[in-house]
Amino acid sequence: MHGYTALQLGLGYRKQEYLHPGMVGYYLAQGVPFKDQLVEFPVSPDSLLPVGTPITAAHFVAGQHVDVTGWTKWKGFQ
């Protein structure tokens, strides 16, 4: 549209009462279940997927590099 193509991925599940009303409307308009987190990645136009497509390990090819980021529970050296 505006020279920017992105893919939005939702992670986890969240109840409707814990979401901002604007986000509830967004999920209802897209026809997808409520998600805990929503992230956006810029992609090329030919890399877009249909709305609601689940991403699994089968989506990636062997030898493809994937950056993964996580967080700890801040418990030190237990």
Side-chain angles (χ1 to χ4, degrees), residues 70-78:
W71 63 78
T72 64
K73 291 188 177 185
W74 301 99
K75 292 186 177 182
F77 294 100
Q78 291 188 13

Side-chain angles (χ1 to χ4, degrees), residues 22-46:
M23 289 305 294
V24 170
Y26 180 76
Y27 286 122
L28 291 175
Q30 299 300 320
V32 294
F34 303 116
K35 300 294 183 179
D36 187 36
Q37 296 178 6
L38 186 66
V39 294
E40 182 174 293
F41 300 98
V43 296
S44 60
D46 60 338

